[in-house]
Amino acid sequence: MRTTLYFIRHAKSDFKIKEDAARPLTIAGHRAAQKLIADFSNTQLHAIYSSPYKRTIDTVKPLATSKKLPIIERELLRERSIGKWVEDFNSYARKQWDDFDFKIDGGESLRAVQNRNINQLTEILENHDGENIAIGTHGTSLSTILNYFDESFDYNSFLSIADKMPLIVVVEFQRGTFHSYRINESGHV
């Protein structure tokens, strides 16, 4: 059986808000979230999961309402905890991609982020074999997931999607085993 996961990276958020979990979408982000309804108009979804962070919930909420599905929040799908606000984010991200175990005090390594996300995905795949599932996610979390299935997804790949919000990545599994993924920049899935 084929299972399809539609990862939806959140829409643009307001970086003036430094508290990661509470960061809201911008006005443009809310408009972009509404467009997901059209993107998924011809796609049957069986469930919608999301990180509990406000920007991811608000991104998938219009889609969930249109599909008449609840949003299932999962703490393990949250974004990487940095530990403190980092002004030079690109240098920090580069260090993490160069060393998947690198972290600053109070923060998480990319390996830790990857492990908890993959553990959650394993559970989702076990519970939804043969179904289409949308997952509200974040740029770093999503990138570590893609890296898990394709080691060539690296720092440069991470940078290539850094400004794409929202972004849909379609990941296919056959009988629970990874088959393929594609980054959908065109809209309709």
Side-chain angles (χ1 to χ4, degrees), residues 14-30:
D14 185 352
F15 278 101
K16 291 180 282 191
I17 308 300
K18 306 246 191 278
E19 184 185 343
D20 206 27
R23 187 175 308 130
L25 295 180
T26 62
I27 292 169
H30 281 286

Side-chain angles (χ1 to χ4, degrees), residues 8 12 37 171:
I8 303 170
K12 290 202 182 275
I37 296 169
V171 183

Side-chain angles (χ1 to χ4, degrees), residues 77-134:
L77 295 173
R78 73 186 183 280
E79 181 60 300
R80 164 202 47 205
S81 173
I82 295 176
K84 65 179 181 178
W85 186 261
V86 174
E87 290 300 329
D88 186 359
F89 180 78
N90 287 340
S91 293
Y92 172 75
R94 181 63 192 220
K95 285 180 187 175
Q96 285 210 297
W97 280 92
D98 288 345
D99 176 1
F100 249 49
D101 294 310
F102 174 79
K103 63 181 181 173
I104 59 177
D105 288 341
E108 287 181 289
S109 69
L110 292 185
R111 187 172 321 283
V113 174
Q114 185 180 66
N115 287 340
R116 70 172 159 73
N117 274 275
I118 294 302
N119 286 337
Q120 185 65 73
L121 290 184
T122 300
E123 180 183 313
I124 291 170
L125 288 167
E126 288 170 357
N127 292 328
H128 296 283
D129 190 36
E131 296 181 345
N132 298 325
I133 309 301

Side-chain angles (χ1 to χ4, degrees), residues 46-77:
H46 298 92
I48 299 177
Y49 285 81
S50 181
S51 155
Y53 286 17
K54 182 168 177 46
R55 61 191 178 273
T56 54
I57 295 291
D58 288 349
T59 298
V60 298
K61 190 178 287 184
L63 179 61
T65 300
S66 75
K67 296 292 187 181
K68 297 180 174 62
L69 291 169
I71 298 170
I72 305 165
E73 294 181 36
R74 290 294 185 258
E75 182 66 23
L76 293 178
L77 295 173

